[in-house]
Amino acid sequence: MKKALFLYLFFLTTIIFAQNVVLNKVVKTHTNTDKFFYKINPENTSAEYLGEIEIQGFSDDDAKVFGMIYKKAKEVGANAFAFQPFELVDGTSSDFDPINYKLSLYYASASDFEKEDNVAYFIASPYKKQTISINKEKILFEPRTFTKITLEPGEIYTVSTQKLLGSSIKIGAQENQPVQYFQLSRFAVNTNSYGSAGIHLKSGDIMKLEQSYAQFLTTIYKYFK
């Protein structure tokens, strides 16, 4: 009896917390071959509204969730998105809830995308806190958070995970340099990536992200200064 109850609760929990991505409103579709899917502020653009996607349930596999969202968005020809709060009974808007949220879908022209030249975003791991240094200033990242810095002309920024076998990068301002996104990865022990004997240890890493996925992360993660 106890075993049966345990199995029932297990499957019930799985159902409740399963990730579900639903294209629950389509106003119109747009034909295009754009591969990107960027974040916009619809109040400051003339982007064409296409519909909305609702994400139900939580998953820490952000890449998989984004892939599901991207696939649904491309079904209607969207190349842009924005967070869409739920409207509460008192007429106010809800805060972001990682268990249930909506994204509005748009088709936008090039002029609708905000430029952020010489800006670098640093995005935390979804799993654990981590400290990095930027020009020897230590910054603690809580899981699922991000920050950004403006790169000043003539200054070189050294970003380091500070750990043994960790990573270090140098970035600097350049004329018309597009925005850059980097994510911190957690400690990992992996099989050798080249297929030879042994293991590959990483105490910290800094990965450059593609802009569409990075802007999704900066929508669902919390910003801190």
Side-chain angles (χ1 to χ4, degrees):
M1 182 66 180
K2 289 183 178 179
K3 185 176 181 180
L5 180 60
F6 171 79
L7 290 174
Y8 172 77
L9 292 174
F10 172 78
F11 286 115
L12 180 62
T13 303
T14 302
I15 292 171
I16 292 173
F17 292 100
Q19 188 80 37
N20 195 20
V21 175
V22 180
L23 184 60
N24 61 4
K25 181 187 291 186
V26 178
V27 174
K28 60 177 67 175
T29 62
H30 200 287
T31 302
N32 69 83
T33 58
D34 296 335
K35 301 299 183 183
F36 59 85
F37 187 49
Y38 294 160
K39 179 168 59 176
I40 61 169
N41 182 347
E43 296 181 358
N44 296 338
T45 72
S46 57
E48 186 177 3
Y49 177 73
L50 303 181
E52 71 177 30
I53 284 178
E54 184 171 347
I55 297 83
Q56 304 162 343
F58 176 76
S59 170
D60 61 5
D61 190 342
D62 297 317
K64 181 178 179 180
V65 175
F66 176 72
M68 296 166 68
I69 293 171
Y70 180 90
K71 184 177 179 180
K72 294 286 186 182
K74 291 306 175 181
E75 289 178 10
V76 299
N79 64 5
F81 70 93
F83 170 61
Q84 180 181 330
F86 289 98
E87 185 174 338
L88 303 177
V89 292
D90 61 359
T92 60
S93 296
S94 65
D95 294 329
F96 176 79
D97 181 352
I99 296 177
N100 187 204
Y101 59 95
K102 293 191 294 184
L103 299 176
S104 296
L105 304 177
Y106 298 88
Y107 175 75
S109 61
S111 60
D112 290 318
F113 298 110
E114 181 180 357
K115 290 189 66 177
E116 286 188 295
D117 290 347
N118 289 311
V119 172
Y121 283 78
F122 296 94
I123 304 170
S125 160
Y127 305 108
K128 61 179 292 185
K129 63 178 63 177
Q130 186 173 354
T131 299
I132 70 167
S133 69
I134 301 178
N135 286 355
K136 297 184 179 180
E137 178 186 353
K138 293 183 179 180
I139 302 174
L140 175 64
F141 285 77
E142 295 291 339
R144 308 184 77 81
T145 62
F146 72 96
T147 192
K148 66 178 181 178
I149 62 173
T150 300
L151 306 178
E152 299 296 336
E155 184 171 358
I156 300 299
Y157 297 79
T158 301
V159 183
S160 172
T161 55
Q162 303 188 95
K163 303 291 185 179
L164 179 66
L165 305 177
S167 294
S168 179
I169 61 172
K170 293 183 183 293
I171 55 177
Q174 298 180 29
E175 186 175 358
N176 299 320
Q177 177 174 255
V179 61
Q180 300 175 80
Y181 297 88
F182 301 92
Q183 186 170 33
L184 315 175
S185 69
R186 61 176 179 168
F187 174 86
V189 180
N190 303 316
T191 56
N192 191 290
S193 59
Y194 297 99
S196 58
I199 60 175
H200 180 210
L201 298 175
K202 292 199 302 182
S203 62
D205 209 351
I206 304 172
M207 302 173 293
K208 192 167 186 178
L209 297 181
E210 184 274 329
Q211 185 170 333
S212 297
Y213 177 52
Q215 291 189 346
F216 168 69
L217 293 183
T218 60
T219 301
I220 66 171
Y221 284 18
K222 186 176 181 180
Y223 173 70
F224 74 94
K225 294 183 179 181

